[in-house]
Amino acid sequence: MNKQETEDLYILSLDQKLAPADEERLLTALREHPDWARSLLQHKTARELLRASSPATFGPYFTAKLIHKIQNTGVVIDRQLFGMFKKFQLAAVGVVVALLILNVALAEQGSWKSVLGIEEDATTPVEQQVPFDFYETLNNL
Amino acid sequence: MEQHKGDIQLIEDARNGDMTAFRTIVERHEASVAGVVKGILGDTPEAADVGQEVFIRLFESLGKFRGEASLSTYVTRIAINLSLNESKKRKRKFKLFGPLKEGENTSAEESTVDLKEMLYHELHQLDPEFQAVVTLRMIEGYSIQETAVVLEIPVGTVMSRLYRAQKKLKQVIARKEGYE
């Protein structure tokens, strides 16, 4: 095993248990190359130095200051339900856009009025259209 | 009394306006949030501000918390996201105003600087995504699985980021000890 492979295996061993065969290969490599072992120990040193030795804190009165801020700056619990339905909102917008695209694709006329379905199909001018005569219709029955 | 209640009960009480319950939540999670925020931002004045913001966000979102993740995971995620945002802001500012002038915290000074500080300095030079993994795993002692859950990334990504960060951090020790 070369130095790079040994280092990779050593780093892996810091985070998970190695397979017995890998463990054996690593130990053998470290025994054969004490200088590699010394160098690899630096990985462990780095971890040990970084490891939090005592619980961190934001200093005295952190909680009191926080509660004071919440109570005095109008911070409130967001009880709106909208946030919970974001996925559904997105899906609904997607469906609307898809329908609009479909409508554009199938529209016979290219005008935006026809696409939105608000253009009158006025084949007969309005002034020539005969109003419906209710009484005449009844008499003819 | 509040100390003995579980997180879910405390959240329920806080939702109903019980500020003592919320205070207990803050006290219970301050250490882990502080560890994460300071791990990424260092022990700076902004860290406490971000810490406050984390709990304010938590308070605001109490109404939406559905318990899918544990409160600890939920609050740690908020802490990670806000710290990474702050870290990115800092990096942008750093780019805008340029690197430190010669003589300011250079390698000549390193020999007198505590090794731990040097490691933290190196940690803060890493990309924010790497900082998050290192902070959770190496500083706060989360397992690989827990780190993956909190950051919502695959275990393999955690491992590869750790590997690269580990190599960078080792260089600090190697420089100090004079051999690689």
Side-chain angles (χ1 to χ4, degrees):
Chain A
M1 202 160 57
N2 64 28
K3 189 176 179 185
Q4 188 57 58
E5 287 169 333
T6 309
E7 184 175 20
D8 290 351
L9 214 49
Y10 182 79
I11 292 176
L12 196 64
S13 77
L14 296 174
D15 290 306
Q16 65 182 55
K17 182 140 181 55
L18 296 179
D22 285 338
E23 205 174 292
E24 191 50 46
R25 280 191 324 140
L26 179 61
L27 285 173
T28 307
L30 295 180
R31 269 196 293 264
E32 286 171 2
H33 304 278
D35 53 325
W36 293 2
R38 206 166 53 138
S39 167
L40 291 181
L41 267 181
Q42 292 169 343
H43 284 297
K44 205 171 176 191
T45 309
R47 287 216 176 189
E48 281 165 359
L49 283 169
L50 277 177
R51 186 79 176 223
S53 49
S54 56
T57 162
F58 287 117
Y61 311 115
F62 173 76
T63 310
K65 282 188 272 187
L66 174 74
I67 300 291
H68 182 266
K69 190 171 179 180
I70 288 174
Q71 289 176 326
N72 292 284
T73 53
V75 178
V76 289
I77 298 175
D78 183 1
R79 296 179 194 276
Q80 288 186 331
L81 290 173
F82 298 120
M84 295 169 72
F85 297 108
K86 263 184 188 164
K87 282 180 190 168
F88 299 107
Q89 289 171 8
L90 283 175
V93 169
V95 169
V96 169
V97 170
L99 286 174
L100 205 59
I101 291 170
L102 192 70
N103 212 7
V104 170
L106 299 178
E108 288 176 7
Q109 296 168 327
S111 77
W112 65 272
K113 279 187 174 177
S114 70
V115 167
L116 296 175
I118 55 175
E119 190 160 90
E120 292 173 34
D121 185 18
T123 45
T124 314
V126 178
E127 58 276 11
Q128 289 175 19
Q129 287 176 11
V130 181
F132 176 70
D133 191 332
F134 179 70
Y135 292 106
E136 192 183 325
T137 309
L138 269 182
N139 289 336
N140 289 339
L141 285 176
Chain B
M1 181 65 189
E2 299 281 344
Q3 294 298 331
H4 303 295
K5 288 183 181 172
D7 281 342
I8 299 294
Q9 182 59 52
L10 287 170
I11 288 169
E12 195 54 45
D13 292 349
R15 272 184 192 146
N16 294 326
D18 181 355
M19 284 309 279
T20 314
F22 187 69
R23 180 188 292 268
T24 307
I25 291 174
V26 175
E27 286 167 351
R28 199 173 277 182
H29 295 279
E30 182 190 343
S32 61
V33 169
V36 167
V37 174
K38 289 186 174 184
I40 294 175
L41 298 175
D43 197 357
T44 58
E46 300 95 70
D49 293 340
V50 171
Q52 271 207 352
E53 191 57 32
V54 169
F55 286 107
I56 287 173
R57 292 277 178 98
L58 174 66
F59 183 78
E60 287 173 332
S61 61
L62 282 177
K64 296 176 199 161
F65 182 77
R66 283 174 288 167
E68 285 165 349
S70 71
L71 182 61
S72 169
T73 301
Y74 189 72
V75 79
T76 305
R77 266 186 206 147
I78 301 176
I80 287 275
N81 289 335
L82 292 182
S83 304
L84 292 184
N85 286 347
E86 181 63 30
S87 175
K88 282 173 190 163
K89 246 190 262 173
R90 263 194 206 173
K91 285 205 166 143
R92 276 200 295 273
K93 210 186 275 181
F94 180 76
K95 272 184 190 161
L96 208 62
F97 295 108
L100 294 173
K101 284 176 194 160
E102 215 172 309
E104 279 181 293
N105 202 14
T106 60
S107 58
E109 229 179 311
E110 276 180 3
S111 58
T112 56
V113 179
D114 180 39
L115 191 53
K116 195 168 177 172
E117 278 179 33
M118 285 163 63
L119 276 171
Y120 273 98
H121 178 75
E122 189 67 35
L123 169 61
H124 298 140
Q125 305 308 308
L126 297 175
D127 285 344
E129 294 75 18
F130 289 81
Q131 285 182 41
V133 170
V134 171
T135 301
L136 290 181
R137 172 70 186 137
M138 295 192 200
I139 300 176
E140 290 302 300
Y142 282 56
S143 70
I144 296 289
Q145 291 285 349
E146 288 167 335
T147 306
V149 168
V150 170
L151 297 176
E152 297 178 284
I153 54 176
V155 166
T157 309
V158 173
M159 293 296 284
S160 66
R161 286 181 187 172
L162 267 179
Y163 175 82
R164 287 170 63 185
Q166 178 79 55
K167 288 197 122 184
K168 291 251 179 197
L169 294 172
K170 187 224 173 197
Q171 284 170 6
V172 175
I173 310 282
R175 276 203 302 271
K176 182 80 175 174
E177 292 185 353
Y179 62 87
E180 267 191 84

